[in-house]
Amino acid sequence: MMRPFLVGIALLSLFAPSATAQKVELSIDASRTGAKVDRNLFGQFAEHLGHGIYEGIWVGPDSSIPNTRGIRNDVVAALKAIKVPNVRWPGGCFADEYHWRKGIGPQRAVTLNPNWGGVIEPNTFGTHEFMDFLDQIGAEAYVSVNVGSGTPQEAAEWLEYMTAAQPTTLAKERAANDHPAPYKVASLGIGNESWDCGGNMTPDYYLSQMKIYSRFVRNFNPAQQDAQQMLKIAVGPGGSEPRWTEWTDTIMKAYQHHTWSWDINGLSMHSYTVVKWPPAFKSEGFGETEYAQILKSTLEMDDLINQHSSIMDKYDPQKKVALIVDEWGSWYAPLPGSNPGFLVQQNSLRDAILAALNLNIFARHGDRVRGANIAQMINVLQAMIMTDKEKMVLTPTYYVYKMYVPFQDSTFVPVTFDAGHYTQDNISLPRVDAIAAKGKDGKLWVEITNVDPNQPAEIELNLTGISPKSAAGETLSAPKVDSVNTFDAPKTVVPKAISSRLQGGNLTLRLEPKSVTVLSVEQ
Ligand code: AHR
């Protein structure tokens, strides 16, 4: 029944007309604002792994694939559209075996990549190519230095090579390699998973190493001295077990008493949606139970953030140190026939919903979580883009990132709602999820995920603190939970426009089952 002034507007719906829509009321007071939704929550991760860099980004200047100085034009155009804020590089486990000198200058050393398939690493994509790539897509550098098998001196010299403006020998070498101006390095990762592939260190051993790197690995770029200072990110936890609470505790306890000679601005956290190791879930050709299992598992991200944030709060109540979730995403069984060391998987509508749920968790924790990097950008794990020689396809996850662009550097606005339940095989999940934020454009942006794969959701938006005139946006769904985009059928999972007229103070939206919707409210 329609209430006075609450006239619902039915939006685009592709689901069967017979499906019963479940009602959910979302209340948003636009005058109540929370933390910033940092654009760096939408960061990417690109490791020298499989076809993440070679073929995915780098094809070389002589390739028949259209490129600019060796970097594929189609990939650059696609990434520009999602406004990638930063790219974490060169790894991952690869970072702790990377020696930057092999990737500069006209003669590149040919090495091996023992972590990922033992393949040849040509080093043709090195520092200059990475920075050129960032320049082309408009993103900042998040460089992880080698703590595991490198030295503080090697890392310090790399930073001097990249950032020194004065005519030091290293700066002159950079200029001789065609880049006289110093590069900017927005963030510095001090090692990667140092409790595992990064050197199997104890928390205390890592702490003493980290302090040395924090002290000596300096950024000399004059533009980064007062404003835009480089953020130093220490290795943090990789799960919920006691060894990782001990890790967080050790680093943060030391931080509480840190002196002028070392500092950190972030603690990294890695958490993949895998259910259990080794990854065994199929990335395509799965059913509703696997859909529910994976989404149930991904929601554990919230508990994990709560767990480590509360340890951080103990030592850093002012939340100066950010929690940076710089590796996350789905990790499934390798696609049959692919090199298992290349971590190739399909990307389905389930991944789009998984991405939305995690981005919403990060946004809700915006006071502490100020960065996140999905793993990985191209051709690896939960990728934005897949390529095969000259072909490129955008994944469902890519479209979620595109739809969420207005949330970059927005201000969180709390939403209250009773999500209800969706149950499959005794697996119970919140049926809907939602966030809202005031965008930089001054508009109120709302995201609503309908997790239920069978029932549409009838959403009633109760807005206060705003005089809305209209609302419009995009919705992403597909026929099946495991629908994918392929090179031959690239438009199976793509967003569609939705729009509404507003009458009175409220909107009602009928959302498709298994959908992600982002809309702005015009006032
Ligand atoms: O993203 C793949 C790998 O997962 C990274 O190299 C490593 O840091 C993590 O274990």
Side-chain angles (χ1 to χ4, degrees):
M1 189 181 78
M2 286 178 188
R3 289 190 258 147
F5 308 114
L6 304 184
V7 180
I9 308 297
L11 298 179
L12 187 87
S13 68
L14 297 178
F15 44 84
S18 58
T20 325
Q22 308 277 334
K23 274 207 157 183
V24 181
E25 197 174 293
L26 302 184
S27 299
I28 305 173
D29 178 352
S31 65
R32 286 186 56 221
T33 50
K36 179 173 155 186
V37 181
D38 200 305
R39 69 181 192 287
N40 287 312
L41 294 179
F42 304 88
Q44 298 287 332
F45 172 37
E47 179 168 11
H48 288 237
L49 192 176
H51 296 304
I53 301 283
Y54 300 108
E55 297 192 22
I57 296 173
W58 179 258
V59 287
D62 301 329
S63 171
S64 58
I65 298 171
N67 68 84
T68 303
R69 296 179 294 280
I71 295 163
R72 349 184 11 144
N73 293 344
D74 53 355
V75 164
V76 166
L79 292 173
K80 270 170 96 165
I82 58 170
K83 299 201 183 318
V84 176
N86 75 78
V87 182
R88 179 172 179 257
W89 174 84
C93 298
F94 181 83
D96 278 300
E97 292 191 84
Y98 185 60
H99 300 284
W100 66 274
R101 279 209 151 277
K102 300 190 170 162
I104 58 161
Q107 298 299 326
R108 307 287 170 97
V110 175
T111 56
L112 291 172
N113 189 339
N115 280 296
W116 306 117
V119 294
I120 287 282
E121 167 55 59
N123 283 300
T124 42
F125 190 89
T127 304
H128 290 261
E129 292 74 22
F130 173 59
M131 293 295 187
D132 188 12
F133 168 62
L134 294 184
D135 213 38
Q136 291 189 34
I137 65 168
E140 293 188 315
Y142 177 1
V143 173
S144 280
V145 292
N146 181 343
V147 173
S149 67
T151 62
Q153 183 182 355
E154 182 189 14
E157 288 177 357
W158 192 13
L159 265 285
E160 184 190 324
Y161 177 84
M162 289 191 280
T163 65
Q166 289 160 293
T168 68
T169 302
L170 283 167
K172 286 202 263 184
E173 189 179 357
R174 183 192 66 232
N177 287 330
D178 289 336
H179 208 277
Y183 290 117
K184 276 172 75 178
V185 178
S187 300
L188 180 84
I190 305 178
N192 172 75
E193 299 193 353
S194 304
W195 28 261
D196 189 33
C197 72
N200 272 294
M201 301 174 193
T202 63
D204 285 328
Y205 183 80
Y206 172 74
L207 176 64
S208 61
Q209 293 292 302
M210 182 271 278
K211 286 178 179 171
I212 295 169
Y213 278 74
S214 167
R215 169 86 182 109
F216 297 113
V217 183
R218 299 169 199 267
N219 186 317
F220 296 102
N221 190 323
Q224 294 194 265
Q225 297 317 299
D226 301 321
Q228 302 178 48
Q229 283 190 21
M230 182 176 74
L231 304 178
K232 297 177 182 179
I233 320 289
V235 168
S240 60
E241 291 102 274
R243 70 177 174 124
W244 281 308
T245 53
E246 186 198 345
W247 188 283
T248 301
D249 199 82
T250 304
I251 308 295
M252 293 307 297
K253 195 173 181 173
Y255 169 81
Q256 186 183 32
H257 301 293
H258 81 95
T259 63
W260 67 270
S261 61
W262 73 276
D263 198 4
I264 54 170
N265 312 94
L267 185 72
S268 120
M269 184 172 97
H270 291 182
S271 176
Y272 285 97
T273 301
V274 63
V275 181
K276 75 181 171 69
W277 299 97
F281 274 68
K282 290 201 281 183
S283 57
E284 59 181 343
F286 56 84
E288 192 176 333
T289 300
E290 291 80 6
Y291 169 80
Q293 280 173 308
I294 286 290
L295 295 185
K296 179 88 183 167
S297 170
T298 214
L299 289 171
E300 289 166 15
M301 178 68 84
D302 193 47
D303 294 335
L304 197 62
I305 292 173
N306 281 328
Q307 184 187 7
H308 290 282
S309 293
S310 70
I311 302 172
M312 296 174 82
D313 287 347
K314 208 161 68 174
Y315 302 111
D316 173 32
Q318 292 177 299
K319 302 187 194 295
K320 288 187 180 163
V321 179
L323 188 62
I324 309 287
V325 189
D326 55 15
E327 284 189 31
W328 70 275
S330 57
W331 192 326
Y332 305 125
L335 278 186
S338 68
N339 182 334
F342 284 11
L343 311 186
V344 181
Q345 62 189 41
Q346 249 303 356
N347 194 296
S348 69
L349 178 64
R350 177 178 66 184
D351 293 293
I353 291 176
L354 183 155
L357 294 174
N358 280 281
L359 292 172
N360 292 359
I361 291 170
F362 302 149
R364 281 192 279 267
H365 286 282
D367 56 347
R368 179 67 83 179
V369 181
R370 302 196 283 270
N373 300 71
I374 191 167
Q376 298 194 5
M377 189 160 56
I378 302 161
N379 291 330
V380 177
L381 298 176
Q382 191 176 346
M384 303 289 119
I385 296 173
M386 306 223 227
T387 65
D388 180 15
K389 303 193 177 63
E390 76 291 349
K391 290 184 269 185
M392 179 187 87
V393 66
L394 306 174
T395 66
T397 303
Y398 171 90
Y399 288 111
V400 170
Y401 273 66
K402 190 148 185 252
M403 290 162 72
Y404 271 73
V405 165
F407 286 96
Q408 293 198 15
D409 281 346
S410 64
T411 307
F412 190 76
V413 175
V415 187
T416 50
F417 57 99
D418 177 355
H421 297 284
Y422 149 67
T423 306
Q424 165 72 9
D425 269 356
N426 292 326
I427 305 160
S428 180
L429 296 165
R431 225 163 41 76
V432 296
D433 189 36
I435 59 162
K438 271 233 172 92
K440 286 192 293 179
D441 53 8
K443 293 180 190 167
L444 179 70
W445 289 88
V446 183
E447 188 286 329
I448 313 160
T449 303
N450 182 9
V451 173
D452 193 321
N454 306 309
Q455 305 295 328
E458 193 78 47
I459 306 290
E460 186 174 290
L461 280 176
N462 295 327
L463 304 170
T464 47
I466 184 173
S467 309
K469 286 195 186 128
S470 62
E474 287 187 318
T475 191
L476 184 73
S477 189
K480 298 188 292 158
V481 286
D482 65 338
S483 292
V484 299
N485 291 333
T486 62
F487 298 112
D488 296 331
K491 296 211 154 93
T492 308
V493 195
V494 290
K496 299 169 193 89
I498 60 169
S499 62
S500 73
R501 268 186 321 113
L502 183 80
Q503 293 178 15
N506 289 12
L507 287 167
T508 60
L509 314 171
R510 194 171 154 94
L511 302 180
E512 292 181 48
K514 48 179 167 22
S515 61
V516 175
T517 301
V518 173
L519 67 157
S520 69
V521 180
E522 303 279 346
Q523 51 177 326

